[in-house]
Amino acid sequence: MKKLLFTLLALAPLALFAQTNTWKLDGTHSAVKFDVTHLVISSVEGRFNKFDGTLISAKPDFTDAQIAVSVDVNSVNTDDEKRDGHLKSADFFDAAKYPSMTFKSTSFKKVSGNKYVLEGDLTIKGVTKKAKFDVTYGGSVKDPWGNNRAGFKATTTINRFDYDLKWSAATETGGMVVDKIVNVTLTLEFVQGK
């Protein structure tokens, strides 16, 4: 019994100092995309070309992960300069006043297998609301240059009106030109720091 107690006491400090790993988002192998219904009959897709993020975790299954992502609103791209300009205006993102939107996780829970739920605070245009993403963990691998990489795909829907992105116009039949519900897809590849 004394030997067991001694072993537990000897190992306790190691548990307190479990190695925490910081992973950096690889922007060239990641994407921040959205799509929204247009005129009730089709959808418009877009993306943000500039973003950054980190993942901090000590567990190999990432269930203790702390995730933070920042997106440059001025990098919005829908393949139409006029529309992109409108999205940057005060009608939508007001990029001059709010140049970035951010997400900071509060929990990352494993549901089953490679399925997770990510929850946290999403801030757009100075408004912060709780957001929940369904996440598929693609796995981890060592690349040819010796870097550890982990991949995730996260999806959610948000109501743009909740974030003061309230521009709206009606069609002849009373439908909205741009729907208030926006689908968001994040394809994220993280590289472990050395």
Side-chain angles (χ1 to χ4, degrees):
M1 183 68 170
K2 286 182 181 180
K3 188 174 182 180
L4 176 62
L5 184 58
F6 176 77
T7 302
L8 289 174
L9 289 173
L11 293 176
L14 296 177
L16 293 174
F17 296 105
Q19 184 176 359
T20 300
N21 297 302
T22 299
W23 301 68
K24 183 85 173 143
L25 189 60
D26 178 354
T28 60
H29 296 102
S30 300
V32 176
K33 297 181 179 179
F34 63 90
D35 69 84
V36 62
T37 301
H38 180 247
L39 295 173
V40 194
I41 59 168
S42 65
S43 67
V44 171
E45 297 179 350
R47 63 192 175 278
F48 294 91
N49 293 327
K50 295 181 182 176
F51 48 87
D52 196 13
T54 57
L55 180 154
I56 299 170
S57 179
K59 295 183 178 179
D61 66 356
F62 299 105
T63 51
D64 64 339
Q66 300 169 30
I67 301 167
V69 176
S70 178
V71 177
D72 180 350
V73 172
N74 282 294
S75 72
V76 68
N77 187 335
T78 62
D79 295 322
D80 183 291
E81 286 185 25
K82 185 176 179 183
R83 180 170 51 220
D84 295 345
H86 190 203
L87 288 171
K88 294 175 195 178
S89 77
D91 282 345
F92 286 98
F93 289 108
D94 198 358
K97 189 173 180 182
Y98 304 100
S100 64
M101 57 182 165
T102 61
F103 176 81
K104 186 173 182 183
S105 69
T106 54
S107 71
F108 190 53
K109 295 179 182 174
K110 190 172 193 175
V111 178
S112 65
N114 67 341
K115 303 296 183 184
Y116 290 72
V117 172
L118 172 64
E119 296 184 15
D121 297 321
L122 177 62
T123 302
I124 303 173
K125 203 175 178 180
V127 178
T128 302
K129 299 278 186 185
K130 297 291 181 193
K132 181 166 77 171
F133 289 82
D134 293 319
V135 179
T136 300
Y137 171 43
S140 297
V141 69
K142 185 167 283 196
D143 69 22
W145 303 275
N147 301 302
N148 291 321
R149 293 177 175 266
F152 303 88
K153 183 174 184 179
T155 59
T156 193
T157 59
I158 63 168
N159 183 335
R160 65 183 175 90
F161 287 8
D162 289 345
Y163 296 92
D164 200 29
L165 307 174
K166 294 187 176 179
W167 181 87
S168 183
T171 65
E172 289 180 2
T173 58
M176 295 176 69
V177 171
V178 179
D179 195 34
K180 63 183 179 179
I181 302 302
V182 180
N183 302 304
V184 179
T185 302
L186 309 177
T187 307
L188 307 174
E189 187 172 307
F190 290 93
V191 183
Q192 185 177 2
K194 293 184 177 180

